[in-house]
Structure formats: structure tokens, C-alpha cells
Amino acid sequence: MITDVRVPAEDQQPYSTAYEQMLEKVLYEGAYPTRERAEEAVRLVLAGLGRQLTGDERVDLAACLPLEAARVLTAQIPDTQPLTGWAFVKYLAARSGASLATTRWDTGSVFAAVAAHADPDLITRILHQLPTGHALLFGRAELTSAA
């Protein structure tokens, strides 16, 4: 478990069962070597997603997620201009110092866990709010309308 150095160990609360299960799903989906590595991915990707979402979709997604994950998502101030899916991956890679391939893998692993907690209709609403390229990150086909 990653600890917060600002809070004495005896005052830290254990993670909720729901968050533990979310971490286990990310650990499994991403084939990460450790829970700590899975948690790093969760925190990076959810913080990035928190910068992209606004409105009811942001609130509804936070309500679906375990409290620890919802806090990471909602602690972020949304950007005024959301990023495309590819730009989102590049942004996260720059923040983490990881390769684009690793960051793309992290994003897909975390989004699979997010989708497991959220209603499919909510994920559809989120995808309609975000620019192109995010559907593939959620493991969905990117559908476009004919011109």
C-alpha cells in the first residue's frame, strides 16, 4: 500500500473493499507486477480523466467509483479544452515519464475497471462529451457519422 507521508501511519485508513477490488481488476487487466504499479496507473489515469470531464458525467462517474478513486477524479480542475484520445495518452506519458505504449496500456487497463463500475449508458454519455479517440481507450469501437 502506498502511504501518505503527511499522515502518520497509525492515522491512515485502509482502502475500502470496493477500491481494493478495483485495484485487483487493474492489476489483472494490466498484468502489472505489483499492486503498487497498478495503483500508480489508477491514480495517473483517473487524475487525467478528471481534467477532461465536466458536468453531470463527471458527477455521475464519481458516484459510481469507489471513494478513493472518486477523490482522485474529482480533485482535478477540468481543462477548458478536452484532449483527443491520442493527445490524452501523450499528455499522461509526458506527466509520468513512461513510453506512449506503456501509457496506452495503463489507460486501457484503468478504463476497463472504470467501465466495470459505471453503467454502459454513462460510459456512452462520457464518450459523447469527450473528443474523438477515447472510445478505443474504453475498449469500444470509434463510430463516426458519414459526412
Side-chain angles (χ1 to χ4, degrees):
M1 178 170 79
I2 295 176
T3 58
D4 187 341
V5 296
R6 296 170 293 175
V7 179
E10 62 273 4
D11 293 336
Q12 289 184 1
Q13 298 297 315
Y15 292 140
S16 69
T17 302
Y19 188 65
E20 293 284 350
Q21 290 171 343
M22 182 179 194
L23 289 177
E24 287 298 319
K25 180 160 182 62
V26 172
L27 181 70
Y28 176 78
E29 293 284 333
Y32 294 106
T34 64
R35 283 179 50 97
E36 288 77 19
R37 178 63 187 95
E39 186 171 18
E40 288 172 15
V42 167
R43 291 185 176 282
L44 174 73
V45 174
L46 286 180
L49 185 59
R51 289 183 201 79
Q52 302 299 302
L53 292 179
T54 60
D56 290 342
E57 289 75 18
R58 179 183 172 100
V59 172
D60 293 348
L61 181 59
C64 294
L65 295 175
L67 180 60
E68 298 88 343
R71 283 183 179 154
V72 173
L73 179 85
T74 59
Q76 308 307 310
I77 297 171
D79 289 337
T80 56
Q81 188 65 31
L83 302 171
T84 65
W86 180 237
F88 179 73
V89 170
K90 290 191 322 189
Y91 169 78
L92 293 180
R95 285 186 64 90
S96 68
S99 71
L100 291 172
T102 298
T103 305
R104 167 60 181 93
W105 185 266
D106 291 348
T107 304
S109 300
V110 174
F111 281 0
V114 167
H117 282 275
D119 180 86
D121 292 336
L122 174 57
I123 299 300
T124 299
R125 288 179 24 225
I126 289 169
L127 292 174
H128 282 133
Q129 183 184 107
L130 296 172
T132 61
H134 285 83
L136 293 173
L137 297 173
F138 275 95
R140 292 186 175 189
E142 185 79 47
L143 301 178
T144 58
S145 57

